[in-house]
Amino acid sequence: MTNKTIVTRFAPSPTGFMHIGNLRTALYAYLLSKSQGGKFLLRIEDTDQVRLVEGATDVIIKTLEMTGMDYDEGPIVGGDHGPYIQSERLPIYKEYAQKLVESGHAYYCFCTSERLESLKDENGIGGYDNHCRDLSKEEIEENLAKGIPYVIRQKMPLSGATSYVDHVYGEVSIDNAELRDQIMIKADGYPTYNFCHVVDDYLMGVTHVVRGNEYLTSTPKYCLLYDAFGWERPEYVHLPLLMGKDAEGNISKLSKRHGAVSFQDLVDKGYLPEAIINYIALLGWSPKETNEEFFSLDDLKKVFSMEGLSKSPAVFDYEKLRWFNSEYIKKMSDEDYEEKAMPILAELCPDYVNTKKLGALLHTRIAAFSDIRDQIGFVIERLPMKDDLYTNKKNKTTPEICKVILEETLPVLEEIDNWCNDVLFEKLKAFAENTERKAGAVMWAIRVAVARQGITPGGATELMEVFGKCESIARIKLAIEEL
Ligand code: GLU
């Protein structure tokens, strides 16, 4: 690695939501520079006007903000190399394309779209035949004077090979004869990605280009542009695809059919940005000197290095993300946890429910905030009772025994004013002792009667505190009637 300051960039096209794969690219670009005290830039690549989606740039900016990936230069924050939105840089690309025309590395092409169409085979595939590559100066001037529309094409070498060494994939080499004279500036004056990102990376001082491996084999063309300008090439770090696994176990590029694939969808499902970042950091990278799995963004900045990047495609595993998320939720302070959980509980629960207590019971029992809804169905409504729930071997309970327990505890419960877990527990324990019953049996009967389901977050007295006196007693009475 060189000694100069590392500058990386995230250069998304604002064509929709923030795909998890893009977020991972941003993260690695961010970490590569931040692990070395470098700079991280955000550049919006919006020159493909057809694919633009309104609001997509805001989503990108908001996502970086929510994940804590601050960029040193970019839209909104500005910087010395702006503007950072490509559609605001059109004159720059024209100027640089012109330079290459003048130096003989690019040329005007006046071919009509009909002519280019005619070069295609029956499958619609066809290259360019370099028709305008060697037009005379006079022909060019005549065409320009006539106002014939033109594009500017990059003049590729016709022989030899171009290669570079990628940090992840090693040497990549391509025969120049395979390279087409690609378009740099389109007829409408807009540049192509292939051209303008190179100009921008150079002008913005980018030292390391971190991006998806779909650009691995087109990078020789970009290297030729650097060479044509006489600029030092950046270093390249191409990342393997992020894959998803479907129900049949087939693996393919992570897409919607695998589940939520955008950052916002995951957040909406109740995943925490910190957990998402932690998990995706490990999808294609592993720390060298530790087996630790938990990393905050700050931790990652300390331990990240390119050597830990892998070229084998990583598979996004929703279960693993859930596990990370549950661990992050457990570690949340009560305050932070309540800030997220309470609005959900308040919306779903009837008024009499002690949502604070219910929230506390769920704190260690959910893997995502969306689980809350699934876990509290029994609180929201009185579920149909199944009598066999009363049967428990360990406590030696049966529906009949439970009925007696419920009938006998009812007056004890009705007398309690200070309706809270501790008091309820003490009274029921005393009741069990006085009636020579196992406390477990008493608790079992009551828990089933109030919850009306087998597995519950919390025991009998905790649930009674959640329900409050009125609803608890009502549920016990109902249970006695049904038995
Ligand atoms: N705008 C390109 C994309 O979103 C960026 C590729 C690059 O990082 O150079 O795929």
Side-chain angles (χ1 to χ4, degrees):
M1 195 165 292
T2 47
N3 285 329
K4 62 185 175 192
T5 303
I6 291 195
V7 180
T8 62
R9 80 325 190 249
F10 177 45
S13 304
T15 53
F17 54 80
M18 178 74 114
H19 190 279
I20 286 297
N22 279 351
L23 185 63
R24 189 194 59 169
T25 302
L27 178 63
Y28 289 168
Y30 173 83
L31 292 175
L32 173 56
S33 79
K34 294 299 157 188
S35 60
Q36 313 275 324
K39 279 191 176 174
F40 175 61
L41 275 55
L42 172 64
R43 181 174 73 229
I44 302 296
E45 302 207 320
D46 61 345
T47 57
D48 189 350
Q49 297 279 311
V50 186
R51 290 174 61 225
L52 291 191
V53 170
E54 212 185 301
T57 298
D58 296 339
V59 171
I60 293 162
I61 291 174
K62 188 165 168 231
T63 304
L64 294 181
E65 204 180 281
M66 284 176 75
T67 54
M69 282 190 254
D70 300 328
Y71 49 92
D72 302 286
E73 294 180 29
I76 300 177
V77 303
D80 293 339
H81 306 90
Y84 295 90
I85 298 183
Q86 286 187 326
S87 59
E88 295 170 13
R89 299 171 62 82
L90 301 184
I92 300 176
Y93 308 128
K94 276 221 165 113
E95 179 194 332
Y96 279 87
Q98 212 59 49
K99 285 186 199 227
L100 288 191
V101 171
E102 277 155 31
S103 66
H105 293 96
Y107 61 91
Y108 292 102
C109 166
F110 299 94
C111 289
T112 59
S113 44
E114 292 77 33
R115 177 167 193 285
L116 295 175
E117 274 307 307
S118 73
L119 298 174
K120 290 183 178 163
D121 63 18
E122 62 272 20
N123 299 319
I125 298 170
Y128 176 61
D129 59 357
N130 294 359
H131 182 264
C132 297
R133 189 171 157 119
D134 297 311
L135 292 183
S136 68
K137 228 177 155 188
E138 292 72 34
E139 278 172 294
I140 295 168
E141 262 153 30
E142 205 184 307
N143 286 344
L144 289 177
K146 278 193 214 151
I148 299 179
Y150 63 84
V151 300
I152 297 180
R153 288 184 186 270
Q154 184 182 352
K155 199 183 247 179
M156 300 295 182
L158 297 173
S159 59
T162 304
S163 43
Y164 71 99
V165 178
D166 182 83
H167 275 281
V168 176
Y169 288 86
E171 181 166 340
V172 178
S173 182
I174 198 144
D175 284 339
N176 292 333
E178 284 177 31
L179 303 176
R180 301 239 168 85
D181 284 359
Q182 63 177 353
I183 296 175
M184 295 163 27
I185 303 283
K186 294 182 277 186
D188 61 5
Y190 272 79
T192 55
Y193 160 78
N194 289 331
F195 177 61
C196 63
H197 88 274
V198 168
V199 173
D200 287 345
D201 282 341
Y202 171 73
L203 293 178
M204 294 179 180
V206 171
T207 61
H208 291 70
V209 170
V210 181
R211 64 182 163 210
N213 71 2
E214 63 269 37
Y215 297 99
L216 189 67
T217 53
S218 31
T219 294
K221 295 191 280 193
Y222 313 142
C223 291
L224 286 169
L225 282 172
Y226 279 91
D227 298 352
F229 279 116
W231 297 336
E232 189 188 337
R233 297 179 187 178
E235 298 190 34
Y236 289 102
V237 185
H238 286 97
L239 305 170
L241 272 183
L242 207 48
M243 313 299 275
K245 201 195 247 175
D246 66 18
E248 285 82 49
N250 301 318
I251 289 178
S252 57
K253 190 177 171 196
L254 182 66
S255 69
K256 276 196 176 146
R257 65 199 189 89
H258 298 116
V261 287
S262 80
F263 174 75
Q264 197 53 48
D265 280 350
L266 291 176
V267 171
D268 291 346
K269 282 191 180 310
Y271 292 101
L272 301 167
E274 305 89 288
I276 300 173
I277 287 294
N278 192 155
Y279 177 56
I280 66 170
L282 299 170
L283 288 174
W285 170 83
S286 53
K288 281 281 157 228
E289 276 153 25
T290 164
N291 290 326
E292 180 61 50
E293 280 192 294
F294 288 97
F295 298 102
S296 67
L297 193 60
D298 278 338
D299 298 335
L300 288 167
K301 283 191 218 170
K302 288 183 201 122
V303 294
F304 186 85
S305 79
M306 275 194 285
E307 290 69 47
L309 289 171
S310 155
K311 64 178 164 197
S312 26
V315 181
F316 191 94
D317 177 347
Y318 288 91
E319 277 312 308
K320 186 85 195 205
L321 174 63
R322 271 179 71 76
W323 178 77
F324 266 104
N325 207 55
S326 67
E327 294 300 313
Y328 271 83
I329 291 177
K330 276 180 209 154
K331 282 188 220 158
M332 282 174 101
S333 69
D334 289 348
E335 223 178 21
D336 290 347
Y337 166 79
E338 281 174 11
E339 199 182 305
K340 290 202 172 273
M342 293 319 266
I344 306 174
L345 290 168
E347 191 198 320
L348 296 174
C349 292
D351 285 348
Y352 53 77
V353 173
N354 181 338
T355 47
K356 197 171 161 76
K357 175 78 190 176
L358 179 58
L361 289 179
L362 294 171
H363 192 154
T364 54
R365 292 177 167 92
I366 53 168
F369 284 92
S370 56
D371 292 355
I372 290 181
R373 182 181 285 271
D374 307 331
Q375 291 225 20
I376 63 169
F378 77 100
V379 178
I380 300 170
E381 57 174 337
R382 296 177 185 170
L383 302 175
M385 178 65 94
K386 294 187 205 86
D387 280 355
D388 55 0
L389 291 178
Y390 288 111
T391 308
N392 179 258
K393 263 201 190 139
K394 190 170 149 244
N395 291 308
K396 299 200 176 73
T397 55
T398 60
E400 295 71 32
I401 294 174
C402 286
K403 187 177 183 199
V404 178
I405 294 175
L406 293 175
E407 283 167 345
E408 290 181 14
T409 47
L410 191 57
V412 178
L413 294 172
E414 277 175 327
E415 248 174 46
I416 298 174
D417 288 327
N418 185 7
W419 195 264
C420 65
N421 180 43
D422 291 347
V423 174
L424 288 163
F425 191 80
E426 282 315 313
K427 296 274 184 204
L428 290 178
K429 215 174 98 195
F431 166 81
E433 271 162 26
N434 297 341
T435 53
E436 288 177 9
R437 287 194 171 95
K438 278 173 93 172
V442 175
M443 299 300 178
W444 187 273
I446 294 185
R447 192 178 60 86
V448 170
V450 295
R452 307 174 70 83
Q453 75 174 13
I455 295 170
T456 54
T461 53
E462 287 168 315
L463 293 181
M464 281 199 287
E465 185 176 338
V466 165
F467 282 117
K469 184 168 178 178
C470 221
E471 176 69 7
S472 301
I473 301 261
R475 285 188 179 218
I476 290 170
K477 283 184 177 162
L478 174 65
I480 296 171
E481 248 170 62
E482 288 168 337
L483 272 165

